[in-house]
Amino acid sequence: MQDKEKYVYVVDKNIYINLTNRCSNRCEFCVRYYDKPIYGDLWIKEEPSAEDIIDILENRYDLSKYGEVVFCGYGEPTYRFDAIETISAYVRSKGSKTRINTNGQGSEILGEDITSRIVKCIDTINISLNATDAFKYDKICHSVYGEKAFDIMLEFARECVKKGGNVVLSVVDVIGEDEIAKAQAIAQSVGAKIRVRQLL
Ligand code: SF4
């Protein structure tokens, strides 16, 4: 499959945008490392520009027929935050909603606090909590920021909530009831919602 076929795809009537393969984590459960990748092989050789994505959306999709436009892809989307802002403005101009699935390390990755900007362009900020403390998080997610990544992620969530963002922390159901209860308490402590999702 050519790169341009991998930039935009549809799952469950939502449109997904694949802007990058880059990621500051190397999560053990990441779909990127499955032998048979879910949704097909979405590795891209070249990252698309915002204009590439808008061109695809404009010519191939009637956004009113879909749910959210989700920045997700095969890496951490905030590496491409400038593009996200531009694409979001286009999506909003069509009356559609935006969501981002992020590891919450975007401000650290970009070396600037992006929380004020992200709450302005993204309707739902979905942050993968993954674990209930720094040690467990590092053991699963292997961030380039080591055990600091957990606090970086929670601080990002807290700041987004403070600035009026609709923030959802997500965990997978396989972590067990005790861990889910702890995750709920963490979400509450930063003012976010919690989503317990099935492991793919
Ligand atoms: S943060 Fe997401 S894209 Fe990055 S390794 Fe983890 S699951 Fe994969």
Side-chain angles (χ1 to χ4, degrees):
M1 214 190 330
Q2 290 188 328
D3 268 5
K4 62 181 180 187
E5 305 302 323
K6 302 177 184 180
Y7 295 150
V8 180
Y9 57 98
V10 174
V11 179
D12 294 337
K13 295 203 172 161
N14 291 319
I15 293 180
Y16 285 74
I17 311 285
N18 182 16
L19 292 172
T20 186
N21 299 326
R22 289 179 283 166
C23 189
S24 51
N25 278 0
R26 197 181 190 288
C27 302
E28 299 201 348
F29 53 81
C30 182
V31 293
R32 297 154 19 129
Y33 308 120
Y34 287 11
D35 288 343
K36 281 194 180 167
I38 296 174
Y39 315 130
D41 175 13
L42 294 172
W43 287 100
I44 51 177
K45 291 189 191 80
E46 268 181 49
E47 295 184 343
S49 65
E51 291 68 33
D52 291 335
I53 299 292
I54 291 169
D55 194 51
I56 294 170
L57 293 176
E58 180 72 19
N59 290 304
R60 298 199 204 159
Y61 295 91
D62 174 354
L63 293 190
S64 67
K65 297 202 168 123
Y66 297 90
E68 302 161 297
V69 173
V70 186
F71 297 96
C72 177
Y74 242 29
E76 168 49 38
T78 53
Y79 277 91
R80 301 293 316 286
F81 191 63
D82 287 347
I84 287 173
E85 284 183 315
T86 306
I87 299 162
S88 292
Y90 168 81
V91 170
R92 289 254 181 95
S93 77
K94 298 287 174 185
S96 293
K97 299 264 189 213
T98 56
R99 168 163 48 108
I100 190 166
N101 291 348
T102 173
N103 65 17
Q105 297 168 25
S107 293
E108 200 69 19
I109 289 166
L110 298 176
E112 66 171 283
D113 181 358
I114 60 168
T115 53
S116 303
R117 289 164 64 194
I118 202 167
V119 299
K120 285 198 191 113
C121 65
I122 301 292
D123 294 296
T124 302
I125 302 165
N126 193 339
I127 303 172
S128 302
L129 178 62
N130 291 335
T132 56
D133 65 43
F135 176 75
K136 287 181 199 149
Y137 184 90
D138 189 44
K139 222 171 144 193
I140 309 169
C141 299
H142 310 292
S143 170
V144 296
Y145 306 114
E147 287 189 24
K148 283 189 193 150
F150 187 74
D151 284 342
I152 288 169
M153 174 262 298
L154 280 186
E155 186 54 23
F156 184 82
R158 197 176 286 116
E159 280 303 307
C160 288
V161 170
K162 243 192 243 170
K163 288 165 182 160
N166 175 31
V167 180
V168 182
L169 297 187
S170 69
V171 287
V172 283
D173 55 0
V174 293
I175 61 175
E177 277 178 30
D178 285 355
E179 284 295 292
I180 290 173
K182 281 187 203 164
Q184 275 164 337
I186 290 171
Q188 208 174 7
S189 74
V190 299
K193 297 168 192 154
I194 186 86
R195 177 169 165 251
V196 182
R197 62 179 180 82
Q198 277 187 316
L199 187 66
L200 290 170

